[in-house]
Amino acid sequence: MFVRFIESVAFARIVALGLIVFALFVRIADPIPVQLVRNLTFDAYQRILPRVPEELPVAIIDIDDASIAEIGQWPWPRTRFAEMIDKLTEFGAVAIAFDVIFAEPDRLSPQAIALDNSALPQQVSQALSRLPDNDDVLAASFERARVIVGQTSIRSAFHRSIPNEQIPDVPHAMMGPSPVGFILELPDLVQNLPVLEDAASGRGMFSIRPDPDGVYRNLPMVMNAQGHLRLALAPEMLRVATGGAPFVLRSNEAGVDGVVLARQFIQTAADGTVRPYLTRSLQERFIPASDVLNGKLRPDQVAGKLLFFGTSAVGLGDYRATPFGVAVPGVELHAQLLENLLTGSLLQRPNYAISAELAVTLLLCLLFVVVTPIMNAGFLAVSSVAMLTAFGWGSFLLFQNEKILLDASFPIVSALATIIFMSTTNYMREEKRRRDIRSAFGHYVSEDLVNALSDNPDGLQLGGETRELTLLFSDVRGFTPIAESFRDNPAGLTRLMNTFLNLQSNAILNEKGTIDKFMGDAVMAFWNAPLSHEDHARAACRAALLMRDGVEALNIKRQKEAKAAGAEFLEIRFGIGIATGSCMVGNMGSDTRFDYTAMGDPVNLASRLEGQSSTYGKTVIVAAETERLVREKFALLEVDFVRLKGKQQAEHIFALLGDAKLLREAMFAKIRQTNADMLEAYRSRDWARAKEMLESLKPLVADFDTRLNTHLMNYHTRIEDFERAPPPKDWDGVHDATTK
């Protein structure tokens, strides 16, 4: 027993469910390999569809190798920067930010040169001492413009922290709990000379940190530097350029929610970072610093723009790896972040992203756990590829159209792993199961059924079992005249009956029924064995309607052919009986000859109902239990409370007229209600009221289905008989059928 369980689909599914739970825990833990695959996926999106700016509102004054060669060795005198700031301001620059820090006094100031050169003549030394200090010159330039100084942090035992009272605050407000513990913590702040800090319009941090793989994807908007909240360099420039209003940090128990800046709310991750949507490195964004000093700069290159001072000089080593697989100057990341803030083009990683990814992972994996063992391998391959491709494409479309990052990699990898695992276990069971089933059933069922059982053998039990089945019997009425009309053309009769039986068979098989046997022109079929079918009663009713409609179409076609040939036309009329109940289904017969069939009272009931279809003038007659199971989906009309021949117990029986569409029609509802009123009056011996209801039904039936006239005539005849000879006092409304 244990060995059989190990080999079962149930065991494989239990193991797969355990692996799915493990995968979900891995995703929640989010180890570095998972992050790496996710980030590589998002990197691929940006490589495929990089941001293409319509204009460049931000420019970089680039301290490049050519400028160093022209102006001189780095670092340059602060007066050079003052000169450039004045020129840029004159040309209409909106604001200027420095991705450079001036933490130490300028060693090229006149006073510093005098002190460092004791051999200078006293007159020269005194003259130098009377000249303005370079840092004062730069500070004065700062005051004439909107300048944002850059700040950073250093982790060194030799660095002395700045006293808090010497650290200027950036104006801000807080909404929510403290974000400490979530945002980037910088224990030691490195700032510019106090004279420069005081003269600046703003102070921003240019410290950024890479992801574990060394790529810079997430840039901080806000951070905690030595206990002081600071905006990053780009958002601080935006704050200053738009009037210098305080920024507002919104947080909640889960971390940072976002930053209100320049009258807009900027959503951030819980750690206060954002993900810029990058362009490829653009040379148009860079202006050589030497162009500003040597007069090559045109006013239109900087007018109305926000400017960063930074360096692309190789020797200064300020390069950062990007999702494009190439390193760019660090200042360009700040410039691109500012462009994103200005254009509202930041990539979004919503708070619900992780929950959505976990949910999709779970749904996909569970789906493949369920369908992989029961689905054809080729269809599984095509459908799974299509489904996973569609999900991946949907993730890319979210990026393309909404700039939303929803990870497709983890759900797809998890789903593929599930498919591989389930397919492997299927393969290990497949050959053994197919051999067992073919050996057990190959002697007494059709090849189609054997193939179906081979594809899904779980519901099969050899030796017989008790199941609730829905049985269907179908038989041609008046077959003898049809056969006589083909007495000179037996081949034509064979073709006609083959066509008729094909219609019957296809309707049954399309609804996943089992054809038990053909008995001349009669068919017996059942549902819910050998394979389980939860909707077996509805499936049988759908099959019956397909059989009815198919034969009606065949009769129309034959009538046209007979008319064209001038031949006699005889309509194929047939009846169907359907019943539902508990039956024994399995191997029935002797040791040498046996059939897979069903036995039980519902079998006899379905057969009797088929025989009564002509009595009531309707093609399909349904037993009460079947009607109870399908009444919400099919149009059924009660026709009698009858005691069938050979049975002791009476049965409410119904005519199956149509599907849910007919059920919703007002005319049918009116007929059903009037019919119910007629039956109530009839069974309570109110003959006058019953006849009145019959009269009301006649015009309705005439507009609806004249074949119901037989039903009306039956009751009209019975009522007239009862008026002449009333039924006994103990009569319970049951009609005793006189024929099978």
Side-chain angles (χ1 to χ4, degrees):
M1 181 67 70
F2 180 75
V3 173
R4 292 182 62 186
F5 177 72
I6 291 295
E7 295 175 346
S8 68
V9 172
F11 177 77
R13 284 174 170 161
I14 291 172
V15 174
L17 290 175
L19 294 175
I20 292 170
V21 172
F22 174 75
L24 295 178
F25 275 113
V26 169
R27 176 61 188 86
I28 293 170
D30 205 22
I32 288 177
V34 174
Q35 296 179 36
L36 178 61
V37 174
R38 180 171 65 250
N39 284 330
L40 290 176
T41 301
F42 295 154
D43 291 353
Y45 289 176
Q46 293 205 59
R47 292 184 186 186
I48 295 170
L49 196 68
R51 181 170 63 91
V52 180
E54 296 180 1
E55 57 181 354
L56 293 174
V58 180
I60 297 168
I61 306 303
D62 186 16
I63 304 167
D64 59 356
D65 290 302
S67 295
I68 291 175
E70 181 176 339
I71 296 172
Q73 183 181 7
W74 179 263
W76 297 334
R78 304 282 163 81
T79 51
R80 292 290 191 183
F81 290 100
E83 184 180 350
M84 285 190 283
I85 291 171
D86 290 339
K87 178 65 71 174
L88 295 170
T89 303
E90 177 187 348
F91 282 3
V94 176
I96 302 168
F98 279 86
D99 185 24
V100 177
I101 194 163
F102 305 110
E104 303 294 337
D106 188 356
R107 64 180 180 81
L108 299 177
S109 287
Q111 296 85 353
I113 293 174
L115 289 174
D116 288 344
N117 295 273
S118 58
L120 286 173
Q122 185 177 5
Q123 290 180 334
V124 174
S125 179
Q126 290 176 348
L128 289 173
S129 299
R130 289 193 295 269
L131 292 175
D133 182 83
N134 285 5
D135 293 314
D136 291 335
V137 173
L138 183 58
S141 179
F142 280 8
E143 291 177 343
R144 293 189 293 271
R146 289 194 189 96
V147 174
I148 298 88
V149 292
Q151 297 178 337
T152 187
S153 178
I154 187 169
R155 293 178 178 271
S156 170
F158 301 103
H159 178 74
R160 292 182 297 175
S161 298
I162 302 169
N164 277 339
E165 62 271 14
Q166 297 181 17
I167 301 176
D169 277 319
V170 174
H172 67 276
M174 290 282 298
M175 293 178 62
S178 171
V180 174
F182 292 98
I183 63 176
L184 178 62
E185 300 285 337
L186 302 174
D188 297 306
L189 180 65
V190 179
Q191 60 182 13
N192 299 270
L193 295 171
V195 66
L196 300 178
E197 292 279 345
D198 293 342
S201 301
R203 301 157 190 86
M205 302 294 295
F206 55 72
S207 298
I208 55 177
R209 289 185 180 174
D211 289 333
D213 60 351
V215 177
Y216 290 80
R217 301 183 182 89
N218 300 284
L219 302 183
M221 281 287 291
V222 63
M223 57 198 85
N224 182 15
Q226 200 173 319
H228 292 258
L229 284 181
R230 283 285 192 270
L231 289 174
L233 191 60
E236 174 67 0
M237 176 182 263
L238 179 60
R239 185 188 73 83
V240 171
T242 54
F247 72 91
V248 180
L249 179 64
R250 275 180 32 179
S251 61
N252 52 44
E253 297 300 328
V256 178
D257 187 30
V259 176
V260 179
L261 180 66
R263 298 183 180 180
Q264 63 175 318
F265 176 71
I266 301 167
Q267 186 87 38
T268 69
D271 61 356
T273 61
V274 292
R275 193 162 191 144
Y277 186 12
L278 301 178
T279 69
R280 297 188 183 278
S281 187
L282 298 174
Q283 190 59 42
E284 301 82 29
R285 206 178 265 126
F286 292 82
I287 299 172
S290 57
D291 285 2
V292 182
L293 293 171
N294 61 22
K296 293 182 180 179
L297 179 68
R298 302 188 314 275
D300 63 281
Q301 291 180 270
V302 296
K305 292 190 177 183
L306 301 168
L307 306 178
F308 284 87
F309 268 94
T311 179
S312 68
V314 175
L316 298 182
D318 186 26
Y319 275 80
R320 303 287 185 265
T322 68
F324 293 106
V326 295
V328 301
V331 67
E332 189 173 10
L333 292 178
H334 297 294
Q336 293 221 42
L337 173 57
L338 183 55
E339 288 177 1
N340 277 248
L341 296 175
L342 291 170
T343 59
S345 55
L346 285 169
L347 297 177
Q348 301 297 320
R349 181 86 169 131
N351 294 332
Y352 61 78
I354 295 177
S355 299
E357 290 157 8
L358 289 171
V360 171
T361 300
L362 179 61
L363 290 175
L364 284 176
C365 291
L366 288 178
L367 174 64
F368 289 120
V369 165
V370 172
V371 305
T372 301
I374 62 176
M375 190 177 287
N376 173 272
F379 185 75
L380 174 66
V382 173
S383 60
S384 59
V385 169
M387 185 180 301
L388 297 181
T389 301
F391 176 65
W393 182 246
S395 171
F396 180 77
L397 289 179
L398 277 176
F399 164 78
Q400 179 182 10
N401 298 324
E402 305 296 335
K403 301 182 183 66
I404 290 177
L405 296 176
L406 186 67
D407 180 31
S409 63
F410 190 84
I412 288 175
V413 170
S414 300
L416 288 174
T418 302
I419 294 171
I420 292 171
F421 174 80
M422 296 302 296
S423 298
T424 301
T425 57
N426 283 354
Y427 180 79
M428 293 170 64
R429 291 189 305 270
E430 191 64 25
E431 287 303 317
K432 181 178 182 302
R433 288 193 171 193
R434 285 182 181 274
R435 287 195 301 270
D436 291 345
I437 293 168
R438 289 183 184 279
S439 175
F441 271 71
H443 298 288
Y444 53 90
V445 296
S446 69
E447 183 179 354
D448 291 340
L449 180 56
V450 172
N451 291 334
L453 294 174
S454 298
D455 291 337
N456 190 355
D458 295 328
L460 178 62
Q461 292 185 17
L462 299 177
E465 60 178 323
T466 300
R467 282 199 183 190
E468 182 180 74
L469 302 181
T470 296
L471 288 300
L472 181 150
F473 275 81
S474 169
D475 194 9
V476 175
R477 298 197 296 266
F479 178 69
T480 300
I482 295 176
E484 288 180 351
S485 69
F486 282 90
R487 57 180 173 269
D488 297 327
N489 184 15
L493 178 63
T494 301
R495 286 193 299 271
L496 175 61
M497 293 314 300
N498 284 342
T499 301
F500 171 77
L501 293 175
N502 274 333
L503 289 172
Q504 308 279 290
S505 301
N506 291 338
I508 294 168
L509 295 177
N510 285 342
E511 293 298 334
K512 310 303 180 187
T514 299
I515 298 175
D516 183 287
K517 58 179 69 72
F518 291 103
M519 299 162 286
D521 53 11
V523 180
M524 172 184 171
F526 51 79
W527 280 260
N528 205 32
L531 302 179
S532 296
H533 196 314
E534 294 182 359
D535 201 20
H536 52 86
R538 292 180 182 178
C541 291
R542 288 193 295 268
L545 293 176
L546 287 173
M547 294 163 71
R548 181 198 67 183
D549 295 343
V551 173
E552 287 180 357
L554 176 63
N555 281 327
I556 292 173
K557 178 182 177 183
R558 290 180 56 244
Q559 186 177 21
K560 291 180 179 179
E561 291 174 348
K563 183 177 181 180
E568 181 184 12
F569 167 70
L570 293 175
E571 179 184 3
I572 297 177
R573 293 177 291 109
F574 74 111
I576 296 173
I578 300 175
T580 301
S582 182
C583 298
M584 176 64 69
V585 61
N587 303 329
M588 308 293 174
S590 67
D591 292 339
T592 57
R593 180 67 180 176
F594 43 84
D595 288 320
Y596 185 80
T597 189
M599 295 181 64
D601 184 63
V603 179
N604 298 326
L605 178 58
S607 177
R608 293 287 190 273
L609 292 178
E610 179 277 315
Q612 293 299 312
S613 60
S614 60
T615 300
Y616 296 97
K618 292 308 297 176
T619 302
V620 187
I621 302 296
V622 173
E625 177 61 15
T626 306
E627 186 273 341
R628 183 185 68 81
L629 294 173
V630 305
R631 62 177 58 151
E632 301 299 327
K633 296 293 183 180
F634 293 91
L636 295 122
L637 189 71
E638 185 176 358
V639 294
D640 214 344
F641 185 38
V642 63
R643 185 180 293 110
L644 298 168
K645 194 172 181 63
K647 294 180 66 66
Q648 297 297 318
Q649 187 174 354
E651 179 86 15
H652 287 277
I653 62 175
F654 301 80
L656 175 61
L657 302 180
D659 57 14
K661 181 179 179 181
L662 179 61
L663 178 63
R664 293 190 294 268
E665 289 186 6
M667 177 64 79
F668 172 74
K670 189 171 183 180
I671 290 174
R672 183 172 61 178
Q673 184 58 53
T674 307
N675 183 70
D677 294 342
M678 183 274 292
L679 292 176
E680 181 182 5
Y682 169 78
R683 290 164 186 166
S684 62
R685 304 171 184 248
D686 188 349
W687 313 124
R689 169 113 176 119
K691 291 171 72 174
E692 180 185 344
M693 292 298 99
L694 284 173
E695 291 301 318
S696 299
L697 280 170
K698 285 182 180 179
L700 299 177
V701 167
D703 293 335
F704 181 74
D705 188 344
T706 56
R707 287 173 292 188
L708 287 172
N709 284 327
T710 302
H711 170 62
L712 304 184
M713 292 172 59
N714 286 342
Y715 278 95
H716 193 274
T717 300
R718 289 186 200 175
I719 291 170
E720 288 185 341
D721 291 343
F722 283 143
E723 285 178 331
R724 288 191 297 269
K729 292 182 179 181
D730 61 350
W731 180 68
D732 54 4
V734 174
H735 174 69
D736 290 303
T738 58
T739 62
K740 292 185 178 181

